[in-house]
Amino acid sequence: MIELRHLRTLVALKESGSLAGAAKKRFVTQSALSHQIKELETRINSAIFVRKSKPLSFTQEGARLLNLAEDILPKVIETEFDLKKGLEDGDNHLGVGIECHSCFRWLMPVMEEFRKQYPQAELDLSSRHLFDSLNALEQGDLDVVLSSDPVPGQSIAYQHLFDFEVRLVVASDHPLAQQEYVTPKQLENLPILSYPVALERLDIYRHFLEPAGIQPGPQVKCDLTMMLLQRIACKDGVAALPSWSISEAHGLSLTSVKLGPEGLKRPLFGAYRRNGANARLAQHWLELVAKEGLAKQKLN
């Protein structure tokens, strides 16, 4: 009567607090998720959560099912791990591809912890494939990819790690520094500082400026985070960066501002090959990444 997909949906509802957020975590449309929930409610002849409640509130029946999910799912995952090839029989090399330049610094503690737990594993953290990393993963050139833009496919599994906020970073004495949030119009014709990525692939352009029909000023590319932050401090332009990036300012006079009244939120996913010889190793790595990333969000 109750299936694992139902239990996973309940956990996603609790973690996200909304149908839209749960649908994103489960890689389905909101309509499909609503249909699945309605199916489950019909089976148990009871509502799972209180409609239009903010934050989302579970009914007594929904809470019981959630407790069941939180008890069963970890055991299911552990059993799946045990049934797969152990680390001693699998591939101990893990090539990790990253599409986020500013992730490298906060991933260092993850690498250190991973090497402590799996001293026999070889970990290679690389950005050489850049935005072709998912293709490199499919072809076997990489084993794990961290990306905000998953491409569904039969051979690739995606694990939602956490959501992060992209903020506008400006010099502390910049005219926009005192704003509670900025609108797309306020960024029209302003120079955009960024990593060496095409403008069309930048979050600030794809998810903020372009939908509003706004064109920024010239794009100025920087290879290194510190160089990028220094140029922002010199008011050579503004940049949209994950909230954790400003922690690397090291005494520079910078501040960050929300993009839009609700802020610009983006997900981070971990991708790996479902049938890869080192799939278990990849999943353990992603668990550590998710833990560190969530801790980083709390600090910021």
Side-chain angles (χ1 to χ4, degrees):
M1 183 177 75
I2 301 171
E3 302 175 27
L4 288 178
R5 63 190 178 98
H6 296 139
L7 299 182
R8 291 185 174 110
T9 292
L10 288 168
V11 172
L13 281 170
K14 177 188 176 182
E15 291 177 347
S16 63
S18 69
L19 280 174
K24 181 172 65 175
K25 285 179 177 289
R26 297 292 295 127
F27 276 99
V28 297
T29 64
Q30 189 170 338
S31 174
L33 191 78
S34 296
H35 179 76
Q36 182 189 131
I37 291 171
K38 185 65 179 175
E39 174 191 1
L40 178 58
E41 290 178 331
T42 300
R43 292 186 184 188
I44 67 173
N45 195 30
S46 176
I48 292 174
F49 64 94
V50 180
R51 263 55 177 182
K52 298 183 180 179
S53 58
K54 289 187 177 181
L56 187 144
S57 175
F58 287 91
T59 62
Q60 183 176 356
E61 293 80 1
R64 287 189 64 185
L65 286 176
L66 178 62
N67 288 337
L68 178 66
E70 292 178 332
D71 179 51
I72 287 179
L73 290 178
K75 296 177 182 178
V76 171
I77 294 171
E78 182 179 357
T79 302
E80 287 177 343
F81 281 170
D82 290 340
L83 291 174
K84 291 177 180 178
K85 283 186 175 182
L87 290 179
E88 66 280 3
D89 298 323
D91 183 355
N92 287 342
H93 178 267
L94 203 63
V96 180
I98 300 176
E99 294 186 350
C100 171
H101 287 73
S102 61
C103 287
F104 279 98
R105 185 176 292 273
W106 68 261
L107 280 175
M108 292 302 108
V110 182
M111 295 177 67
E112 183 177 349
E113 179 62 27
F114 182 80
R115 284 170 175 147
K116 285 180 183 178
Q117 293 187 22
Y118 305 100
Q120 75 276 36
E122 297 178 21
L123 185 63
D124 177 23
L125 197 63
S126 171
S127 64
R128 60 181 175 272
H129 293 281
L130 292 176
F131 286 93
D132 194 37
S133 56
L134 290 175
N135 184 47
L137 174 64
E138 213 160 15
Q139 293 179 356
D141 295 328
L142 291 172
D143 302 301
V144 184
V145 168
L146 300 184
S147 174
S148 291
D149 300 295
V151 179
Q154 292 299 316
S155 64
I156 304 299
Y158 289 95
Q159 180 178 333
H160 179 268
L161 303 177
F162 56 88
D163 293 334
F164 62 94
E165 183 179 2
V166 177
R167 295 178 66 92
L168 187 75
V169 182
V170 299
S172 297
D173 58 348
H174 191 281
L176 296 176
Q178 303 307 315
Q179 299 289 315
E180 180 181 353
Y181 65 88
V182 296
T183 64
K185 183 66 176 176
Q186 288 175 294
L187 301 183
E188 188 171 28
N189 298 323
L190 283 185
I192 299 294
L193 291 158
S194 77
Y195 294 109
V197 176
L199 179 67
E200 294 74 20
R201 303 209 62 137
L202 296 179
D203 287 333
I204 190 173
Y205 183 79
R206 295 168 61 198
H207 303 288
F208 191 67
L209 297 176
E210 186 179 36
I214 298 296
Q215 287 297 317
Q219 180 188 11
V220 182
K221 299 179 181 180
C222 299
D223 291 313
L224 303 175
T225 299
M226 198 59 212
M227 181 191 305
L228 180 61
L229 295 174
Q230 286 174 340
R231 296 199 67 170
I232 297 171
C234 292
K235 290 190 280 191
D236 290 343
V238 299
L241 298 169
S243 54
W244 60 71
S245 296
I246 198 167
S247 65
E248 300 182 33
H250 300 300
L252 295 174
S253 186
L254 300 174
T255 191
S256 66
V257 186
K258 283 198 301 185
L259 289 165
E262 304 299 324
L264 178 57
K265 303 292 178 62
R266 297 288 291 140
L268 187 66
F269 296 95
Y272 59 94
R273 289 186 302 282
R274 295 181 189 276
N275 298 320
N278 54 8
R280 181 179 178 181
L281 193 64
Q283 289 169 328
H284 282 289
W285 159 257
L286 292 175
E287 288 172 5
L288 293 175
V289 173
K291 182 179 179 180
E292 179 69 20
L294 290 171
K296 193 75 174 173
Q297 295 303 298
K298 291 178 182 179
L299 290 175
N300 292 304

